[in-house]
Amino acid sequence: VSVIFVALCFTFGVRIVGVDGESMEPTLCHNDRILVLSSIWSKPRNGDVVVLRKDSFVNTPVVKRIIATEGQTIDIDYSTGAVYLDGVLLDEPYIKEKTLLQGDMEFPVTVSPGCVFVMGDNRNGSRDSRSLSVGTIKEEYIVGRVLFRFFPFDRFGKVSDSGRLNIITAD
């Protein structure tokens, strides 16, 4: 019974995922371990940090941030590094640096129904929806939303929608 319960929890509830790479710095770092809530429990929202799988992109789970959802228009001004959502400049305190690395996608882009536009927080070190090889992501490829980081222990904490971490200290 315990094994079945644990299997059901990890199938329909939560998963443990390791972060591979630097595309989500400074929010998440290489080798961080995160707890992910299954996507069957929530609709994707702007700002969510999610784990996704898209075999044509990469065959292992990757972590990215949702920038736009279906029907929204994203535009990037690479000369200033500014990202616009439906014509409004995004305030992105979670990014490592301004968005200067240009992909091969032409902007502005309106996100198709049932899809999301994702980017890494390390905008100049991330392969994401700015690249035609990745493009917008169908919601069905989203494994789940990142809840918190549990390893390394000195950075244990919740990963909020704004990308800031609420650090829990051992005091």
Short mmCIF file of all heavy atoms in Angstrom, two decimals, residues 38-64:
data_model
loop_
_atom_site.label_atom_id
_atom_site.label_comp_id
_atom_site.label_asym_id
_atom_site.label_seq_id
_atom_site.Cartn_x
_atom_site.Cartn_y
_atom_site.Cartn_z
N SER A 38 2.92 18.63 -10.17
CA SER A 38 2.45 18.16 -11.47
C SER A 38 1.55 19.19 -12.15
O SER A 38 0.74 19.87 -11.51
CB SER A 38 1.68 16.85 -11.30
OG SER A 38 1.13 16.45 -12.54
N SER A 39 1.66 19.31 -13.47
CA SER A 39 0.89 20.29 -14.23
C SER A 39 -0.59 19.98 -14.28
O SER A 39 -1.38 20.84 -14.67
CB SER A 39 1.44 20.40 -15.65
OG SER A 39 1.27 19.19 -16.34
N ILE A 40 -1.00 18.79 -13.88
CA ILE A 40 -2.43 18.47 -13.92
C ILE A 40 -3.21 19.26 -12.87
O ILE A 40 -4.42 19.33 -12.93
CB ILE A 40 -2.70 16.95 -13.76
CG1 ILE A 40 -2.26 16.46 -12.38
CG2 ILE A 40 -2.06 16.16 -14.87
CD1 ILE A 40 -2.70 15.03 -12.08
N TRP A 41 -2.50 19.89 -11.93
CA TRP A 41 -3.16 20.60 -10.84
C TRP A 41 -3.29 22.10 -11.08
O TRP A 41 -3.99 22.77 -10.33
CB TRP A 41 -2.42 20.37 -9.52
CG TRP A 41 -2.36 18.91 -9.18
CD1 TRP A 41 -1.24 18.13 -9.18
CD2 TRP A 41 -3.43 18.06 -8.82
NE1 TRP A 41 -1.56 16.84 -8.85
CE2 TRP A 41 -2.91 16.77 -8.62
CE3 TRP A 41 -4.79 18.26 -8.66
CZ2 TRP A 41 -3.69 15.68 -8.25
CZ3 TRP A 41 -5.58 17.17 -8.29
CH2 TRP A 41 -5.02 15.91 -8.10
N SER A 42 -2.65 22.64 -12.10
CA SER A 42 -2.75 24.09 -12.30
C SER A 42 -2.54 24.47 -13.76
O SER A 42 -1.83 23.79 -14.49
CB SER A 42 -1.73 24.82 -11.42
OG SER A 42 -0.42 24.48 -11.79
N LYS A 43 -3.17 25.56 -14.15
CA LYS A 43 -3.02 26.11 -15.50
C LYS A 43 -1.77 26.98 -15.52
O LYS A 43 -1.50 27.71 -14.58
CB LYS A 43 -4.26 26.96 -15.82
CG LYS A 43 -4.27 27.59 -17.17
CD LYS A 43 -5.24 26.90 -18.08
CE LYS A 43 -5.37 27.65 -19.39
NZ LYS A 43 -4.79 26.95 -20.49
N PRO A 44 -0.95 26.90 -16.58
CA PRO A 44 0.27 27.72 -16.65
C PRO A 44 -0.05 29.21 -16.58
O PRO A 44 -1.03 29.67 -17.18
CB PRO A 44 0.85 27.37 -18.01
CG PRO A 44 0.22 26.10 -18.41
CD PRO A 44 -1.12 26.05 -17.75
N ARG A 45 0.77 29.95 -15.82
CA ARG A 45 0.59 31.39 -15.67
C ARG A 45 1.91 32.10 -15.96
O ARG A 45 2.98 31.52 -15.77
CB ARG A 45 0.18 31.74 -14.24
CG ARG A 45 -1.10 31.11 -13.78
CD ARG A 45 -1.32 31.38 -12.32
NE ARG A 45 -0.09 30.97 -11.59
CZ ARG A 45 0.07 31.06 -10.29
NH1 ARG A 45 -0.87 31.52 -9.53
NH2 ARG A 45 1.20 30.68 -9.73
N ASN A 46 1.81 33.35 -16.36
CA ASN A 46 3.00 34.16 -16.58
C ASN A 46 3.82 34.19 -15.29
O ASN A 46 3.27 34.37 -14.21
CB ASN A 46 2.62 35.59 -16.95
CG ASN A 46 1.89 35.67 -18.25
OD1 ASN A 46 1.09 34.81 -18.57
ND2 ASN A 46 2.14 36.70 -19.00
N GLY A 47 5.13 34.04 -15.43
CA GLY A 47 6.02 34.09 -14.28
C GLY A 47 6.29 32.74 -13.66
O GLY A 47 7.25 32.61 -12.90
N ASP A 48 5.47 31.74 -13.95
CA ASP A 48 5.70 30.40 -13.39
C ASP A 48 7.04 29.87 -13.86
O ASP A 48 7.40 29.98 -15.04
CB ASP A 48 4.63 29.41 -13.84
CG ASP A 48 3.31 29.52 -13.10
OD1 ASP A 48 3.25 30.28 -12.11
OD2 ASP A 48 2.35 28.85 -13.52
N VAL A 49 7.79 29.28 -12.94
CA VAL A 49 9.01 28.55 -13.30
C VAL A 49 8.56 27.11 -13.45
O VAL A 49 8.00 26.52 -12.52
CB VAL A 49 10.10 28.70 -12.21
CG1 VAL A 49 11.32 27.88 -12.58
CG2 VAL A 49 10.47 30.17 -12.05
N VAL A 50 8.76 26.54 -14.64
CA VAL A 50 8.22 25.22 -14.95
C VAL A 50 9.30 24.27 -15.45
O VAL A 50 10.35 24.70 -15.94
CB VAL A 50 7.09 25.30 -16.01
CG1 VAL A 50 5.89 26.07 -15.48
CG2 VAL A 50 7.58 25.89 -17.32
N VAL A 51 9.00 23.00 -15.32
CA VAL A 51 9.83 21.94 -15.90
C VAL A 51 9.07 21.43 -17.12
O VAL A 51 7.86 21.19 -17.04
CB VAL A 51 10.08 20.81 -14.89
CG1 VAL A 51 10.80 19.65 -15.54
CG2 VAL A 51 10.86 21.33 -13.69
N LEU A 52 9.77 21.29 -18.23
CA LEU A 52 9.10 20.80 -19.44
C LEU A 52 9.96 19.78 -20.15
O LEU A 52 11.15 19.67 -19.92
CB LEU A 52 8.77 21.98 -20.37
CG LEU A 52 9.91 22.89 -20.79
CD1 LEU A 52 10.39 22.51 -22.16
CD2 LEU A 52 9.43 24.32 -20.78
N ARG A 53 9.29 19.04 -21.00
CA ARG A 53 9.97 18.06 -21.86
C ARG A 53 9.49 18.31 -23.28
O ARG A 53 8.31 18.46 -23.52
CB ARG A 53 9.59 16.63 -21.47
CG ARG A 53 10.12 16.19 -20.14
CD ARG A 53 9.84 14.72 -19.94
NE ARG A 53 10.65 13.94 -20.85
CZ ARG A 53 11.71 13.23 -20.49
NH1 ARG A 53 12.06 13.18 -19.24
NH2 ARG A 53 12.40 12.55 -21.37
N LYS A 54 10.43 18.34 -24.19
CA LYS A 54 10.10 18.46 -25.60
C LYS A 54 11.20 17.72 -26.34
O LYS A 54 12.30 18.24 -26.50
CB LYS A 54 10.02 19.92 -26.03
CG LYS A 54 9.56 20.09 -27.47
CD LYS A 54 9.37 21.55 -27.84
CE LYS A 54 8.91 21.66 -29.28
NZ LYS A 54 8.78 23.05 -29.70
N ASP A 55 10.91 16.49 -26.73
CA ASP A 55 11.94 15.61 -27.28
C ASP A 55 12.64 16.20 -28.51
O ASP A 55 13.82 15.93 -28.73
CB ASP A 55 11.36 14.24 -27.60
CG ASP A 55 10.98 13.48 -26.33
OD1 ASP A 55 11.57 13.78 -25.27
OD2 ASP A 55 10.11 12.62 -26.40
N SER A 56 11.95 17.02 -29.29
CA SER A 56 12.62 17.62 -30.44
C SER A 56 13.63 18.68 -30.02
O SER A 56 14.51 19.05 -30.78
CB SER A 56 11.59 18.24 -31.39
OG SER A 56 10.92 19.31 -30.75
N PHE A 57 13.51 19.18 -28.79
CA PHE A 57 14.42 20.19 -28.26
C PHE A 57 15.54 19.52 -27.47
O PHE A 57 16.71 19.70 -27.74
CB PHE A 57 13.61 21.16 -27.40
CG PHE A 57 14.41 22.07 -26.52
CD1 PHE A 57 15.49 22.78 -27.00
CD2 PHE A 57 14.06 22.26 -25.20
CE1 PHE A 57 16.21 23.64 -26.19
CE2 PHE A 57 14.76 23.11 -24.38
CZ PHE A 57 15.84 23.80 -24.88
N VAL A 58 15.18 18.71 -26.50
CA VAL A 58 16.13 17.98 -25.67
C VAL A 58 15.39 16.81 -25.04
O VAL A 58 14.19 16.90 -24.80
CB VAL A 58 16.77 18.92 -24.61
CG1 VAL A 58 15.75 19.39 -23.61
CG2 VAL A 58 17.94 18.28 -23.93
N ASN A 59 16.07 15.72 -24.78
CA ASN A 59 15.36 14.53 -24.28
C ASN A 59 15.34 14.43 -22.76
O ASN A 59 14.88 13.43 -22.22
CB ASN A 59 15.94 13.26 -24.90
CG ASN A 59 17.42 13.09 -24.61
OD1 ASN A 59 18.00 13.88 -23.88
ND2 ASN A 59 18.02 12.08 -25.19
N THR A 60 15.83 15.44 -22.06
CA THR A 60 15.76 15.46 -20.60
C THR A 60 14.92 16.65 -20.17
O THR A 60 14.79 17.63 -20.92
CB THR A 60 17.17 15.57 -19.97
OG1 THR A 60 17.79 16.75 -20.46
CG2 THR A 60 18.02 14.37 -20.31
N PRO A 61 14.34 16.61 -18.98
CA PRO A 61 13.54 17.76 -18.51
C PRO A 61 14.40 19.02 -18.40
O PRO A 61 15.57 18.96 -18.02
CB PRO A 61 13.06 17.32 -17.13
CG PRO A 61 13.25 15.85 -17.08
CD PRO A 61 14.37 15.52 -18.00
N VAL A 62 13.82 20.17 -18.78
CA VAL A 62 14.50 21.46 -18.65
C VAL A 62 13.62 22.41 -17.84
O VAL A 62 12.40 22.25 -17.78
CB VAL A 62 14.83 22.09 -20.02
CG1 VAL A 62 15.83 21.26 -20.78
CG2 VAL A 62 13.59 22.30 -20.85
N VAL A 63 14.27 23.38 -17.22
CA VAL A 63 13.57 24.36 -16.39
C VAL A 63 13.61 25.71 -17.10
O VAL A 63 14.68 26.16 -17.51
CB VAL A 63 14.23 24.47 -15.00
CG1 VAL A 63 13.45 25.44 -14.12
CG2 VAL A 63 14.34 23.11 -14.34
N LYS A 64 12.46 26.34 -17.24
CA LYS A 64 12.35 27.66 -17.87
C LYS A 64 11.24 28.45 -17.17
O LYS A 64 10.47 27.91 -16.40
CB LYS A 64 12.01 27.55 -19.37
CG LYS A 64 13.01 26.80 -20.21
CD LYS A 64 14.32 27.51 -20.34
CE LYS A 64 15.29 26.69 -21.19
NZ LYS A 64 16.65 27.12 -21.06
#
